[in-house]
Amino acid sequence: MKLFIDDANTEQIRRLYDLYPVDGVTTNPSILYKSGRDPKEVLSEIRSIIGNDPLFVQAVPLDAEGMIEDAVAITEAFGRETIVKIPSIPEGFKAMKKLKEMGITTCGTVVYTPMQAYLAAKAGASYVAPYVNRIDNMGYDGIAVTKEIHDILVRNDMDCIVLAASFKNSQQVKELCAYGVGSATAAPDVIDGFVRNAAIDQAVSDFCTDFAKIDGAEKTMKDYLK
Ligand code: E4P
């Protein structure tokens, strides 16, 4: 499963890129707003941090023509590795079909139902993004919906993978990772949560304490091996 950072905070992106094996960055208009920065400036900085890794940027208009214009502007500004998120609504499907012909990679976003994802994939989207936690908050099972979408894509041999999104905790991500969905995007705090565990910290600390007892000094392996 590919793992993306769902954030536009460049400090956090730098930190996570330094520490974790992440695959790229996803954004949406709300995330850009929360960054408090000019969209072009912040997205350019993200591009410079992540190199040629996938960067997801959402088209804002709600009509197909406007979505296509935004998509062209986005890929011209941030490169062809940039994936344009298009809302999975009727005008969005129209835009996805055209963008596929134009060679621009898209992600069908704002996915709440399996058949919405099916239509986006059929329209040429390379990713579909079900909103796990938001679906849970509606009283449905976001994990089950996402698994169903994954099954639809695989069993219909569609050239599209799940980009599971909207997570509140690592358990939600883990379930989908175990199921083998293609990719997931999570906020820095959720990604940090994968290894936030007192037992891990204790075990690591115990190893250091025991090693220091060998001759009472703060040595590491390299000190013994020189
Ligand atoms: C991804 O495509 C979505 O924009 C994002 O993950 C939504 O997350 P939220 O429900 O935490 O806002």
Side-chain angles (χ1 to χ4, degrees), residues 73-91:
I74 287 166
T75 51
E76 278 177 4
F78 308 114
R80 297 298 279 197
E81 303 78 14
T82 308
I83 294 143
V84 182
K85 291 168 80 179
I86 304 282
S88 301
I89 56 176
E91 287 287 318

Side-chain angles (χ1 to χ4, degrees), residues 6 27-28 31 58 85 109 129 131 134 165-168 185:
D6 201 25
T27 65
N28 65 31
I31 286 173
Q58 191 162 326
K85 291 168 80 179
T109 193
Y131 287 7
R134 294 195 197 191
S166 179
F167 290 106
K168 282 293 162 281
T185 185

Side-chain angles (χ1 to χ4, degrees), residues 80-145:
R80 297 298 279 197
E81 303 78 14
T82 308
I83 294 143
V84 182
K85 291 168 80 179
I86 304 282
S88 301
I89 56 176
E91 287 287 318
F93 303 134
K94 182 177 170 182
M96 289 171 205
K97 287 193 288 179
K98 182 72 184 157
L99 290 167
K100 174 81 176 173
E101 287 167 18
M102 294 164 67
I104 292 179
T105 310
T106 60
C107 167
T109 193
V110 198
V111 170
Y112 286 78
T113 72
M115 292 315 277
Q116 223 189 332
Y118 163 76
L119 286 175
K122 206 162 157 47
S126 298
Y127 296 82
V128 282
Y131 287 7
V132 176
N133 200 65
R134 294 195 197 191
I135 296 171
D136 281 353
N137 286 341
M138 292 166 66
Y140 299 98
D141 185 340
I143 298 289
V145 169

Side-chain angles (χ1 to χ4, degrees), residues 52-226:
N52 290 334
D53 284 352
L55 169 63
F56 291 69
V57 182
Q58 191 162 326
V60 176
L62 296 180
D63 64 294
E65 203 180 315
M67 289 172 181
I68 292 165
E69 284 170 6
D70 255 21
V72 170
I74 287 166
T75 51
E76 278 177 4
F78 308 114
R80 297 298 279 197
E81 303 78 14
T82 308
I83 294 143
V84 182
K85 291 168 80 179
I86 304 282
S88 301
I89 56 176
E91 287 287 318
F93 303 134
K94 182 177 170 182
M96 289 171 205
K97 287 193 288 179
K98 182 72 184 157
L99 290 167
K100 174 81 176 173
E101 287 167 18
M102 294 164 67
I104 292 179
T105 310
T106 60
C107 167
T109 193
V110 198
V111 170
Y112 286 78
T113 72
M115 292 315 277
Q116 223 189 332
Y118 163 76
L119 286 175
K122 206 162 157 47
S126 298
Y127 296 82
V128 282
Y131 287 7
V132 176
N133 200 65
R134 294 195 197 191
I135 296 171
D136 281 353
N137 286 341
M138 292 166 66
Y140 299 98
D141 185 340
I143 298 289
V145 169
T146 304
K147 287 179 174 175
E148 208 174 358
I149 291 171
H150 174 76
D151 290 344
I152 287 171
L153 299 178
V154 171
R155 289 178 185 157
N156 288 282
D157 202 18
M158 298 178 109
D159 193 14
C160 178
I161 62 169
V162 163
L163 170 66
S166 179
F167 290 106
K168 282 293 162 281
N169 59 62
S170 50
Q171 171 67 16
Q172 293 169 323
V173 186
K174 185 209 76 179
E175 279 210 39
L176 293 173
C177 188
Y179 201 70
V181 301
S183 60
T185 185
D189 185 54
V190 173
I191 295 175
D192 284 327
F194 296 176
V195 286
R196 191 185 298 122
N197 183 312
I200 299 172
D201 296 344
Q202 188 60 52
V204 170
S205 158
D206 288 348
F207 286 134
C208 292
T209 308
D210 285 344
F211 197 78
K213 289 178 199 159
I214 292 174
D215 71 3
E218 288 212 358
K219 290 182 178 171
T220 69
M221 284 303 292
K222 82 170 170 356
D223 299 309
Y224 287 99
L225 301 179
K226 59 188 172 196

